[in-house]
Amino acid sequence: MLGKTAGGLYWMFRGLERAENNARLIEAGFRIALTRSTNTETEWKSVIITSAAQQGFTAKHSEFNSTNVIDYLLRDTDNPSSVLSVVKQARDNARLVRTALTTEVWSAVNETWMLITELLKNPIADTDLPEVLSIIRQQSALVRGALHGTMLRNDIYDFCRLGTFIERMDSTARIIDVKYYTLLPSPSLVGSRMDNVQWETLLRSVSAHRSYRWAVEDDYTATNIANFLVLDRRMPRSLAFCAGQIVENLDYLSEEYNDRRPSLDMAERMAARLKGRDIHSIIEEGLHDVLGTIISDVAALGAQIEKDYRFIH
């Protein structure tokens, strides 16, 4: 496959995943801010930090409040990671690789772009925010469903899935990291009712609230939820699940091209670091350090995939 086509597929699905993740981050920030009567600026700052957008945000805004943060992450075209920006980029990439997509996938991406462009034409009022975020998530699911239901399981599909899981793994790691080290108003609140409310909201932000209740019998605690989001391979947004999917899709590409490339070795090493671990040993080692290493590894792996398959974007 031409590097231009492979890169277009990969970045199309990274963009769509990022749009959905931004919507989830904003929802988490909005919910947690509602539980606090004071110091909501800390919460909104944590949302910007998690989205890796602090430098661009502070260049335009002096206050971390709901209006500024929501507008920057949803509508600001100066922010290359805003929902409006990444959905446009995804649609541009879809046009570039149009002949590699089924009619259903192309139509779903194009519909998503048209709907979200209209939806975000004006600033979003707080009363409309939940519905807007829900539509963004639904459109991402629509494209994903079209991909799963109509595309051949070949290299085209693998590049799409790689984009999804590289982006998702990075986002989940950042969410967990910020929750531990930015959101808590005081270390003394760890395990308190306030802390449990925040962890419950975090689960909702990654669509894991109900699945957690099915999979884990214990109450909401920092350790249990960290274990679920880091190590539980049943959970499709956990770090372990994402790492496994990245290895699987790179392995398929290796078989398809009869050529084992360095990105597969990197992915296997990254997945191996999570295999056979328990959350207590990770916390003892230093969760922040482990997550920081994972975030760096995912970035390096993404760059290696681009190099291995000669992406042009």
Side-chain angles (χ1 to χ4, degrees):
M1 182 185 293
L2 290 173
K4 189 174 184 179
T5 302
L9 295 164
Y10 173 87
W11 282 105
M12 175 173 62
F13 276 86
R14 279 202 74 161
L16 291 167
E17 182 70 21
R18 189 171 298 180
E20 182 177 354
N21 291 339
N22 273 355
R24 295 180 188 285
L25 272 177
I26 292 168
E27 182 182 29
F30 190 67
R31 283 176 178 270
I32 293 176
L34 290 176
T35 69
R36 290 183 171 176
S37 57
T38 61
N39 201 25
T40 58
E41 182 174 346
T42 300
E43 173 54 39
W44 288 115
K45 184 176 181 180
S46 76
V47 171
I48 289 292
I49 292 171
T50 306
S51 64
Q54 189 171 6
Q55 184 174 355
F57 180 87
T58 54
K60 295 193 70 171
H61 301 285
S62 58
E63 288 185 54
F64 291 92
N65 57 42
S66 61
T67 301
N68 291 343
V69 171
I70 290 168
D71 197 72
Y72 189 73
L73 292 182
L74 286 184
R75 302 179 59 252
D76 196 330
T77 54
D78 289 335
N79 174 13
S81 293
S82 72
V83 169
L84 201 56
S85 294
V86 296
V87 169
K88 182 182 184 302
Q89 291 160 17
R91 197 258 192 172
D92 290 345
N93 278 311
R95 288 181 65 187
L96 178 71
V97 299
R98 174 69 185 86
T99 56
L101 303 174
T102 60
T103 300
E104 289 83 356
V105 174
W106 160 251
S107 296
V109 174
N110 197 44
E111 176 191 314
T112 296
W113 173 71
M114 291 189 293
L115 180 59
I116 289 178
T117 299
E118 180 64 25
L119 192 67
L120 301 181
K121 184 168 59 176
N122 299 308
I124 307 302
D126 284 356
T127 51
D128 297 328
L129 185 62
E131 182 181 0
V132 168
L133 298 178
S134 177
I135 291 171
I136 293 169
R137 294 196 306 271
Q138 287 170 6
Q139 289 304 124
S140 179
L142 176 68
V143 178
R144 194 160 51 241
L147 177 80
H148 280 292
T150 66
M151 293 289 290
L152 287 174
R153 270 36 175 186
N154 56 11
D155 53 350
I156 294 172
Y157 181 83
D158 291 326
F159 284 119
C160 294
R161 299 303 282 161
L162 281 171
T164 295
F165 287 112
I166 288 285
E167 187 67 33
R168 185 178 295 179
M169 189 170 183
D170 177 75
S171 177
T172 297
R174 290 179 185 278
I175 288 172
I176 301 167
D177 194 30
V178 170
K179 176 62 184 81
Y180 256 88
Y181 297 96
T182 306
L183 292 186
L184 289 178
S186 166
S188 64
L189 290 178
V190 174
S192 69
R193 178 58 189 161
M194 175 64 75
D195 184 43
N196 289 346
V197 167
Q198 291 178 0
W199 277 107
E200 180 180 348
T201 303
L202 172 63
L203 284 171
R204 291 183 186 278
S205 76
V206 292
S207 288
H209 176 253
R210 182 163 294 182
S211 58
Y212 177 86
R213 299 312 306 163
W214 289 336
V216 182
E217 294 183 358
D218 293 336
D219 201 359
Y220 300 110
T221 67
T223 301
N224 287 340
I225 294 174
N227 180 71
F228 190 59
L229 296 182
V230 174
L231 296 175
D232 198 322
R233 286 177 168 77
R234 297 171 295 176
M235 181 0 204
R237 292 183 178 273
S238 76
L239 299 181
F241 181 87
C242 291
Q245 291 298 302
I246 291 167
V247 169
E248 186 174 296
N249 284 284
L250 285 171
D251 196 39
Y252 286 147
L253 287 172
S254 178
E255 292 178 12
E256 178 95 9
Y257 298 150
N258 194 28
D259 181 14
R260 184 182 179 93
R261 302 186 187 186
S263 52
L264 177 55
D265 295 326
M266 289 179 66
E268 287 179 343
R269 288 195 297 271
M270 183 174 70
R273 282 194 283 271
L274 292 171
K275 197 169 185 179
R277 297 293 301 271
D278 66 82
I279 197 62
H280 298 289
S281 69
I282 290 175
I283 291 173
E284 186 176 338
E285 180 182 338
L287 182 60
H288 179 61
D289 293 335
V290 171
L291 293 171
T293 299
I294 288 171
I295 292 167
S296 297
D297 286 350
V298 172
L301 178 57
Q304 187 63 50
I305 290 170
E306 292 191 52
K307 182 179 178 181
D308 284 352
Y309 296 99
R310 300 190 175 103
F311 287 1
I312 301 171
H313 64 90

